[in-house]
Amino acid sequence: MRYDKRQQEKKVKRKRKKRLLKTTVLGLFLLMAVTFGYAYFQYKQGINKAGEKSTINQEVFEFNGEKDRYGGTNILLIGSDSRGEESARSDTIMIAQYHPKKHSYKLISIMRDSYVDIPNHGKNKINAAFALGGPELLRQTIKENFNVDVKYYAIVDFDGFIHLIDEAFPNGVEIEVEKAMSAYLDVPLQPGLQRLDGAHLLSYVRFRYDTMGDFDRVKRQQKAMKEVASQFASFQTLSKLPKLVGVMKPYVNTNMDTSDIIYIGKDYLSKENRNIETFRIPVEGMFDTDRINGIGEVLTIDNEANAKAIGEFLAK
């Protein structure tokens, strides 16, 4: 009798454990379903909010990108000056690297007047590659000249940039404007610490008519990117991320999956150390200025030295 009673008690305990396990699994499943459902709802809400204002061409370009040999995920960032026109040169060329194991973030600016070999098109300014063959030819050009692989691309035009900043930062992006800027700008700027909306921030990152020209412009672009990332992290929460990605999507032409964008953004928001290291190509002392008939002023580059420098920057 005692044996039967013990056996019965064991059966009851096993049944309770099974019920508890089923309840736990079901609870986790429901929690995941609610979480993903809410994230998808937020994402779609963001897309619907921004979609009507979008001007960027959403054509999916051929892009034979490869993973970076240093273990990072490299994204080719292209600022297009097309405003809807075809065969436009890239106004801004950057490579953003996210390293999932190091949790590091790096940003490389490639000056648009860099005189390089464009595959099957001879030598020209690097920004001509985008006009001649889209992001894929630009990717090939970067690989051939600097031995850097990029896996993804992201293109944003001027109008898209303005709407993107205004949607993500309704109160503007706080920036210290170093000096008055007005030459060839639709929206002039005055010096001082201020909050810039999309149109004013576009003026800030595009201005280049001073003594240092494109060199100072690249510095301002990197400064603006770091400020945007920092201020984004200061007021955004993980729960808002899907909606913001939805808001961004109509303004950016990219071959990145939404899940990849959210994953990288989630990692950035969840870390306390969000330092973004910056770099510029060509490196100081590794180029000369020249004038080429039919092309204009260019930066003639020591390819080998610059490729080595960029490799060391990405590897560290």
Side-chain angles (χ1 to χ4, degrees):
M1 290 293 291
R2 287 182 179 176
Y3 175 77
D4 292 340
K5 189 176 181 180
R6 284 199 298 269
Q7 287 294 98
Q8 191 66 27
E9 288 174 350
K10 287 181 180 180
K11 287 181 181 180
V12 171
K13 287 181 180 180
R14 282 198 295 268
K15 286 181 179 180
R16 286 177 180 172
K17 286 182 179 180
K18 285 182 179 179
R19 281 199 299 269
L20 180 61
L21 180 61
K22 287 180 179 179
T23 302
T24 303
V25 171
L26 180 61
L28 288 173
F29 177 78
L30 289 174
L31 180 61
M32 289 175 62
V34 169
T35 301
F36 285 118
Y38 176 75
Y40 181 74
F41 171 77
Q42 290 283 307
Y43 170 70
K44 293 298 289 184
Q45 191 179 47
I47 285 183
N48 293 336
K49 181 179 179 183
E52 295 180 358
K53 301 177 183 177
S54 176
T55 58
I56 191 79
N57 174 18
Q58 291 294 341
E59 171 192 359
V60 178
F61 292 96
E62 173 192 1
F63 198 76
N64 302 312
E66 297 181 3
K67 188 174 181 179
D68 176 61
R69 65 186 186 275
Y70 303 111
T73 298
N74 292 339
I75 307 162
L76 178 59
L77 305 179
I78 304 168
S80 169
D81 60 359
S82 67
R83 300 201 186 214
E85 299 173 5
E86 294 183 358
S87 301
R89 295 195 174 204
S90 45
D91 188 69
T92 299
I93 303 170
M94 292 180 171
I95 299 172
Q97 187 200 66
Y98 162 69
H99 201 295
K101 291 185 178 179
K102 299 177 183 177
H103 301 286
S104 62
Y105 305 86
K106 297 179 180 180
L107 187 65
I108 301 168
S109 294
I110 302 177
M111 297 190 67
R112 64 182 189 172
D113 290 341
S114 300
Y115 194 55
V116 297
D117 288 305
I118 299 177
N120 301 316
H121 292 277
K123 293 187 76 73
N124 206 330
K125 294 181 180 182
I126 194 169
N127 68 339
F130 181 69
L132 292 168
E136 170 60 15
L137 183 58
L138 182 54
R139 180 199 68 79
Q140 293 175 19
T141 302
I142 291 171
K143 173 64 176 177
E144 179 172 311
N145 290 272
F146 305 116
N147 194 28
V148 177
D149 286 305
V150 289
K151 188 172 182 180
Y152 302 110
Y153 72 83
I155 308 168
V156 61
D157 65 9
F158 291 167
D159 289 336
F161 179 87
I162 291 171
H163 289 308
L164 180 58
I165 294 299
D166 288 344
E167 292 286 359
F169 299 88
N171 296 319
V173 177
E174 189 173 75
I175 288 280
E176 177 73 42
V177 179
E178 309 91 69
K179 55 191 169 186
M181 303 176 189
S182 60
Y184 300 97
L185 294 178
D186 294 334
V187 182
L189 296 171
Q190 296 301 317
L193 182 66
Q194 52 202 286
R195 288 193 170 274
L196 302 183
D197 61 13
H200 286 83
L201 188 61
L202 178 65
S203 291
Y204 182 76
V205 299
R206 292 199 65 227
F207 180 74
R208 63 190 182 98
Y209 292 95
D210 55 9
T211 55
M212 292 302 293
D214 266 348
F215 290 93
D216 274 353
R217 190 178 79 128
V218 165
K219 288 181 181 179
R220 284 191 289 272
Q221 288 175 349
Q222 292 184 342
K223 173 184 171 182
M225 288 285 284
K226 294 178 75 170
E227 286 296 336
V228 165
S230 175
Q231 292 174 43
F232 164 72
S234 69
F235 69 85
Q236 295 293 340
T237 63
L238 291 178
S239 63
K240 295 179 181 178
L241 185 59
K243 183 176 181 180
L244 186 67
V245 172
V247 166
M248 293 168 55
K249 197 77 171 175
Y251 303 130
V252 181
N253 182 322
T254 181
N255 64 336
M256 292 186 72
D257 292 333
T258 300
S259 58
D260 291 327
I261 298 172
I262 291 177
Y263 175 79
I264 294 174
K266 173 178 169 292
D267 191 58
Y268 181 79
L269 288 178
S270 62
K271 303 300 177 186
E272 291 184 4
N273 180 17
R274 304 187 185 100
N275 179 51
I276 299 177
E277 297 180 71
T278 58
F279 198 71
R280 190 203 74 202
I281 291 294
V283 177
E284 200 66 42
M286 298 181 184
F287 70 92
D288 290 308
T289 56
D290 202 354
R291 178 172 285 276
I292 307 295
N293 289 335
I295 295 178
E297 291 188 358
V298 300
L299 304 174
T300 54
I301 290 178
D302 183 335
N303 279 30
E304 185 176 347
N306 278 277
K308 181 180 178 182
I310 199 172
E312 290 173 350
F313 174 72
L314 290 175
K316 68 178 182 180

